[in-house]
Amino acid sequence: MAQDFQSDIQAVQRIAAVPTILDVVCSTTGMGFAAVARVTEDRWIACQVLDNVHFGLPAGGELKVETTLCHEVRQHHEVIVIDNVAEDPIYADHHTPRIYGLQSYISVPIVLPDGTFFGTLCAIDPKPHKLSNPQTLATFKLFAELIAYHLDAGSKLSAARTDLLDAQAASELREQFIAVLGHDLRNPLASIDGGTRMLLKEPQSQTAQTILTLMRGSVLRMSRLIDNVMDFARGRLGGGIGLERISGISLNSTLEQVVAEITSAHPERSFETDIDVQDDVRVDHGRIGQMLSNILGNAVTHGSADAPVRVSAFVKDSTLYISVANGGNPIPDAAKVLLFQPFSRGEAGTSQQGLGLGLYIASQIAEAHGGRLEVSSDERETKFTFTMPIEPTRP
């Protein structure tokens, strides 16, 4: 394999969502083999693969491009979908199904934002499957668009790093790029959110309903990540985290809504709540909700799955307390020092979870309210506690 394609393979494999995408593709369609392929005029190379039918092609493997239908997708930039090769008037006698022994096939072009054709998101199976329906086609197109945006973002970031001359220039460019990236990611995310909403309104199998619910949870998680990225960029570029404090609105409702969203996104986890804020607390409800969401997301990610996540909120001695506790291994002292710093992601083995901005943004929201966010951690539990003095309510 030529060295110039290795960077394309690595670019796809750096996209953390691709394995999940391939798994969802196979689970929802019944297809046994799915791949993200780099396709050029004379090369077809698998960048990432899920092979449940022992097709025998690993990531980095190559097929003769003229033997593939992806070759035709590259030429016309059009989707090719076959439910049953034996009954298909166009592809019943095509050489590709005969060569690879497939009966069902779907391939969607991956086109970068500048119009450049990268490759395909494709799936095959030796058995017929019903693929030519609006729901399946919409899902494939949304996934292909998401992969294209990730590839484009990664390419821009790589190019930017190449042009950096010193550490200060690297820091400034990273912050500006994060701001643009956070904004641009909302477009494909909105498409995925809209697609899953439409699919959930259609009759679905229990498996499909479960997968779509998980996808909605991923959309929620990605939305929180984008919010954190944008807040980080604003803070570093001089804007800071702005607040719009209001009174007369129940803080209980704000906190309970956040817990409900996290619970819906993680039905496999157990949550215990004791939220009882009777006082009229003047805060920015959106920011307090964001802070709690970030802390809860951290607890779900790093806490023990066997222990419930406990959320508490109350007022005592003119001070608002909001805490989130979870079981699991204690946080090492060395990690505590960096816990509220940007791009700090805890212990090794957890680096796949976000950018390490959640707790940093949460601490900044706490400070903007004149409060504090602190952590305690031992063998029994890890607990994050937000405290804020309550301003006297003015007539």
Side-chain angles (χ1 to χ4, degrees):
M1 176 176 31
Q3 182 65 31
D4 57 338
F5 287 98
Q6 187 61 36
S7 61
D8 294 327
I9 296 174
Q10 292 173 347
V12 173
Q13 293 183 349
R14 279 195 295 267
I15 303 174
V18 167
T20 302
I21 288 173
L22 297 181
D23 185 54
V24 170
V25 163
C26 290
S27 299
T28 56
T29 63
M31 305 290 275
F33 178 92
V36 175
R38 178 73 168 101
V39 185
T40 66
E41 185 177 359
D42 55 1
R43 304 289 292 274
W44 187 105
I45 299 172
C47 297
Q48 190 80 300
V49 168
L50 177 61
D51 186 0
N52 295 326
V53 292
H54 308 294
F55 184 70
L57 185 71
E62 185 169 352
L63 300 176
K64 291 184 178 180
V65 69
E66 61 272 13
T67 68
T68 70
L69 290 174
C70 294
H71 183 51
E72 299 180 19
V73 175
R74 185 195 67 82
Q75 292 175 321
H76 305 293
H77 288 208
E78 295 291 338
V79 176
I80 293 180
V81 57
I82 307 172
D83 292 342
N84 189 343
V85 168
E87 299 176 356
D88 195 284
I90 299 176
Y91 296 100
D93 296 323
H94 198 281
H95 62 274
T96 295
R98 289 200 304 270
I99 292 173
Y100 299 111
L102 59 92
Q103 284 298 315
S104 53
Y105 174 91
I106 183 170
S107 180
V108 178
I110 297 174
V111 180
L112 302 181
D114 64 359
T116 302
F117 181 90
F118 176 86
T120 62
L121 172 62
C122 56
I124 64 173
D125 198 85
K127 299 178 181 179
H129 291 281
K130 184 63 177 176
L131 304 172
S132 54
N133 59 78
Q135 293 86 356
T136 297
L137 292 175
T139 299
F140 268 75
K141 289 178 180 179
L142 289 172
F143 283 154
E145 182 182 1
L146 179 61
I147 293 170
Y149 268 87
H150 273 289
L151 288 170
D152 182 63
S155 175
K156 290 177 180 176
L157 182 59
S158 178
R161 285 174 175 169
T162 302
D163 295 335
L164 295 179
L165 299 178
D166 52 48
Q168 181 178 1
S171 176
E172 293 175 356
L173 186 58
R174 180 187 65 184
E175 290 165 2
Q176 295 174 21
F177 179 77
I178 285 175
V180 174
L181 182 61
H183 179 269
D184 288 348
L185 275 177
R186 295 185 188 277
N187 294 326
L189 185 62
S191 297
I192 295 173
D193 189 31
T196 53
R197 286 178 184 274
M198 288 189 296
L199 291 173
L200 283 169
K201 294 179 181 178
E202 301 289 335
Q204 302 286 346
S205 67
Q206 184 61 44
T207 300
Q209 287 281 348
T210 300
I211 293 172
L212 288 171
T213 300
L214 292 175
M215 290 174 65
R216 290 300 310 285
S218 296
V219 167
L220 175 64
R221 190 164 60 252
M222 290 175 67
S223 179
R224 292 200 307 268
L225 175 59
I226 291 173
D227 289 339
N228 289 340
V229 168
M230 294 301 291
D231 284 334
F232 173 76
R234 291 191 194 100
R236 287 302 178 94
L237 294 175
I241 292 182
L243 299 182
E244 186 178 351
R245 293 176 180 250
I246 58 176
S247 58
I249 297 178
S250 171
L251 185 58
N252 289 342
S253 300
T254 300
L255 302 179
E256 288 167 355
Q257 179 180 348
V258 172
V259 175
E261 290 174 353
I262 300 295
T263 301
S264 175
H266 299 279
E268 78 285 357
R269 298 298 296 269
S270 174
F271 295 84
E272 296 178 357
T273 60
D274 183 14
I275 298 175
D276 185 19
V277 181
Q278 300 297 329
D279 297 62
D280 184 6
V281 184
R282 189 169 177 269
V283 296
D284 186 319
H285 286 254
R287 289 299 188 182
I288 291 294
Q290 181 184 2
M291 180 188 71
L292 177 60
S293 179
N294 287 356
I295 301 173
L296 275 173
N298 181 79
V300 170
T301 299
H302 300 287
S304 171
D306 300 329
V309 177
R310 299 181 299 281
V311 183
S312 174
F314 58 91
V315 172
K316 181 179 180 180
D317 298 331
S318 298
T319 301
L320 171 66
Y321 292 84
I322 301 175
S323 66
V324 175
N326 61 267
N329 295 327
I331 302 174
D333 292 337
K336 286 183 182 178
V337 177
L338 303 174
L339 202 58
F340 297 114
Q341 296 300 313
F343 303 108
S344 175
R345 292 177 288 192
E347 299 177 82
T350 62
S351 60
Q352 74 275 17
Q353 300 290 342
L355 293 173
L357 293 176
L359 293 179
Y360 169 73
I361 298 299
S363 68
Q364 294 299 298
I365 293 173
E367 291 181 11
H369 278 85
R372 299 179 61 185
L373 182 61
E374 299 176 303
V375 62
S376 61
S377 184
D378 54 31
E379 295 293 341
R380 186 175 62 88
E381 69 172 13
T382 293
K383 186 175 184 179
F384 287 84
T385 303
F386 165 68
T387 56
M388 184 193 80
I390 295 179
E391 300 177 5
T393 302
R394 297 177 181 177

